[in-house]
Amino acid sequence: MDAFFASVELLRYPQLKGLPVVIGGGRRREDDVLARLREVYPERDWSDGDLSRIPLDFFPRLASYTGRGVITTATYAARQFGVGSAMGLMKAAKLCPQAILLPVDFDEVRRISRLFKSTILEIAPVMEDRGVDEVYIDFTHVPGGQREGGRVLARLIQKSIFQATGITCSIGVAPNKLIAKMASEFNKPNGISIVWPEDLQSKIWPLPCRKINGVGPKADEKLKSHGIHTIGELAQRDPVWLIETFGRSYGHWLHEVSWGRDDRPVVTESEPVSMSRETTFERDLHAVRDRAELGAVFTTLCEQVAADLQRKGYAGKTIGIKLRYDNFQSVTRDVTIDHFTAEATAIRRHAGLCLKRVDLSRRIRLLGVRVGSLLRADEAAALASSTQPAPVVPLMDQLF
DNA sequence: TCTGGGGTCCTAGGACCC
DNA sequence: TCTGGGGTCCTAGGACCC
């Protein structure tokens, strides 16, 4: 193996080990739980989230949940009941009513996430950010990165992350990102897996196709309908047939990944393409009957996107909205304007026009606002001053 | 038992220009 | 008036990921 890629996945809330706990729901009554716990048990250190000595009946049971949230993550004890990430909390309550429901502590997650990444960067500078709890690392040019197939370096990273955050992670090392990602799942929650090119048949081919990063529920269903369940079965299919069945690009890609081939580099820097804010209402709203409420939420979303853009230093020129109706069908509308903006009023104005182009007679469960075609704010400003004539001073301003 | 929020990328048709 | 091909941009929807 001449290149070594590692996929590192951080595992949250290890201190809840053994308890059936489900985390999720967000922004609801349960948000108060941690605050209440801090009040009731002020002597305890809540920064490490150690809940093991608190009476269980103190916590809200999942069975009493009535909202619309989904599970962010669940302990292994809760997963035994079939609950897991992205599952609706109402469904989870049926499967495991005794589970304890905790809100997500977003600030804490962000803090740990930053610590996790900065710790890795000190050891291995070629790192790709894949979200709050996941990164790819290129070990190839890290001194000692190839000793024992990468295991020595992986061990050092794992140990350093644990010292910095108190949280465990699993690491997969392989010749490319695709295999490294799959390898990182072999030895959860605190393992290291090395997969060599010659391990393809024994370790990768027996896996279900769904384990491939990029094969989701739809593609998996279609593969199954053709009798393809494992990656090995996929690898045996004629690439021409795959292209005919799944399209030129996706079909070719399926063939390549089934043979463990992936030459994507680890990307250390990237510019955002869009920024958005969206919200699902507690109950479905109607454009006419709930006009005031909808209007207020809409304005808030526009202000939030504008604030996000300004804080991060970007401006965009494609402004759009997203609606989800009560039947879960989504529609989007967007418009591209002739200049870059990060202003809430401008976003609100153009998004408002987009809103007029969709069916507003049906009940709405979600509303979102998006700004795309982003450019760094300084570049956008330079562009504006170089391409536009001197700004026209409005008549009223000239007069007064 | 209905399914969060924040993203990226791909596809496909149509407009428009050369 | 009909007929080209290529390239780019815009828009809408959808799959997928964390």
Side-chain angles (χ1 to χ4, degrees):
Chain A
M1 173 147 83
D2 58 354
F4 293 74
F5 295 90
S7 169
V8 183
E9 292 189 54
L10 199 61
L11 292 132
R12 285 166 282 186
Y13 303 98
Q15 62 284 358
L16 303 175
K17 198 162 61 178
L19 297 176
V21 175
V22 150
I23 293 162
R27 68 185 179 78
R28 310 208 184 278
R29 293 294 107 215
E30 295 79 9
D31 286 352
D32 305 333
V33 170
L34 276 180
R36 270 196 68 202
L37 286 171
R38 288 193 179 98
E39 273 174 37
V40 177
Y41 300 94
E43 72 283 3
R44 295 184 60 84
D45 175 13
W46 290 103
S47 61
D48 72 349
D50 180 5
L51 306 169
S52 54
R53 283 170 292 167
I54 299 297
L56 288 188
D57 49 343
F58 185 86
F59 296 103
R61 296 308 168 115
L62 197 48
S64 64
Y65 187 79
T66 55
R68 282 188 144 161
V70 296
I71 291 172
T72 302
T73 188
T75 59
Y76 286 88
R79 284 172 204 224
Q80 304 249 295
F81 294 86
V83 311
S85 297
M87 178 181 285
L89 285 167
M90 296 304 278
K91 180 177 179 180
K94 293 277 175 205
L95 293 170
C96 187
Q98 72 275 31
I100 294 153
L101 177 63
L102 290 181
V104 186
D105 185 343
F106 288 107
D107 290 338
E108 177 68 355
V109 170
R110 269 192 293 268
R111 188 183 72 82
I112 296 283
S113 177
R114 277 195 297 267
L115 215 46
F116 159 65
K117 289 166 195 168
S118 62
T119 302
I120 291 170
L121 280 173
E122 280 177 26
I123 301 168
V126 183
M127 184 194 84
E128 178 175 335
D129 193 331
R130 296 295 299 176
V132 281
D133 64 347
E134 221 178 291
V135 298
Y136 288 117
I137 309 166
D138 190 340
F139 277 17
T140 315
H141 298 107
V142 179
Q146 314 205 358
R147 284 171 57 202
E148 295 177 34
R151 189 181 297 278
V152 174
L153 184 54
R155 225 164 11 221
L156 171 67
I157 288 172
Q158 209 174 44
K159 203 179 92 189
S160 304
I161 290 169
F162 187 76
Q163 281 169 354
T165 66
I167 286 179
T168 60
C169 63
S170 55
I171 301 181
V173 187
N176 58 48
K177 295 203 289 188
L178 174 86
I179 307 293
K181 167 79 175 158
M182 289 194 252
S184 70
E185 284 202 40
F186 289 170
N187 245 328
K188 281 189 170 183
N190 193 20
I192 294 169
S193 297
I194 315 289
V195 174
W196 298 87
E198 56 268 32
D199 296 329
L200 181 72
Q201 292 192 39
S202 62
K203 292 186 176 169
I204 302 299
W205 280 5
L207 298 175
C209 299
R210 189 64 230 274
K211 293 288 178 188
I212 298 169
N213 191 255
V215 172
K218 300 284 180 183
D220 193 44
E221 267 315 299
K222 190 168 172 183
L223 285 164
K224 280 182 183 159
S225 78
H226 288 100
I228 303 167
H229 297 87
T230 66
I231 300 173
E233 285 165 356
L234 183 59
Q236 300 316 310
R237 290 297 175 120
D238 177 11
V240 174
W241 178 83
L242 283 172
I243 286 168
E244 281 165 5
T245 312
F246 290 91
R248 189 178 194 75
S249 167
Y250 199 67
H252 178 253
W253 177 81
L254 281 174
H255 177 70
E256 290 296 303
V257 296
S258 72
W259 285 87
R261 295 196 278 263
D262 170 29
D263 57 8
R264 294 169 302 162
V266 168
V267 178
T268 55
E269 297 200 43
S270 64
E271 289 291 327
V273 172
S274 70
M275 290 186 197
S276 66
R277 287 288 187 131
E278 64 184 54
T279 188
T280 297
F281 309 120
E282 308 254 336
R283 60 181 179 89
D284 298 337
L285 297 184
H286 190 275
V288 178
R289 283 193 289 285
D290 304 301
R291 197 195 159 98
E293 191 175 347
L294 215 45
V297 171
F298 191 40
T299 301
T300 302
L301 290 170
C302 293
E303 288 167 353
Q304 287 173 330
V305 176
D308 293 341
L309 286 164
Q310 289 168 26
R311 182 163 34 84
K312 294 175 183 166
Y314 290 91
K317 66 185 185 106
T318 303
I319 295 164
I321 56 140
K322 170 173 157 187
L323 248 69
R324 182 124 72 205
Y325 294 111
D326 53 0
N327 66 354
F328 218 69
Q329 185 208 351
S330 300
V331 292
T332 61
R333 293 292 179 272
D334 58 56
V335 62
T336 300
I337 59 175
D338 64 2
H339 65 285
F340 291 86
T341 187
E343 294 300 323
T345 51
I347 294 167
R348 168 70 221 229
R349 186 166 64 248
H350 294 290
L353 292 173
C354 289
L355 204 53
K356 292 198 167 141
R357 289 157 45 199
V358 299
D359 180 6
L360 290 175
S361 64
R362 297 157 64 185
R363 291 184 158 278
I364 300 162
R365 71 175 277 139
L366 172 147
L367 180 61
V369 175
R370 191 185 91 102
V371 175
S373 313
L374 300 186
L375 197 60
R376 298 196 58 92
D378 50 355
E379 292 174 46
L383 202 61
S385 60
S386 70
T387 58
Q388 304 232 323
V392 178
V393 180
L395 188 58
M396 294 299 272
D397 290 357
Q398 291 178 36
L399 291 174
F400 294 101

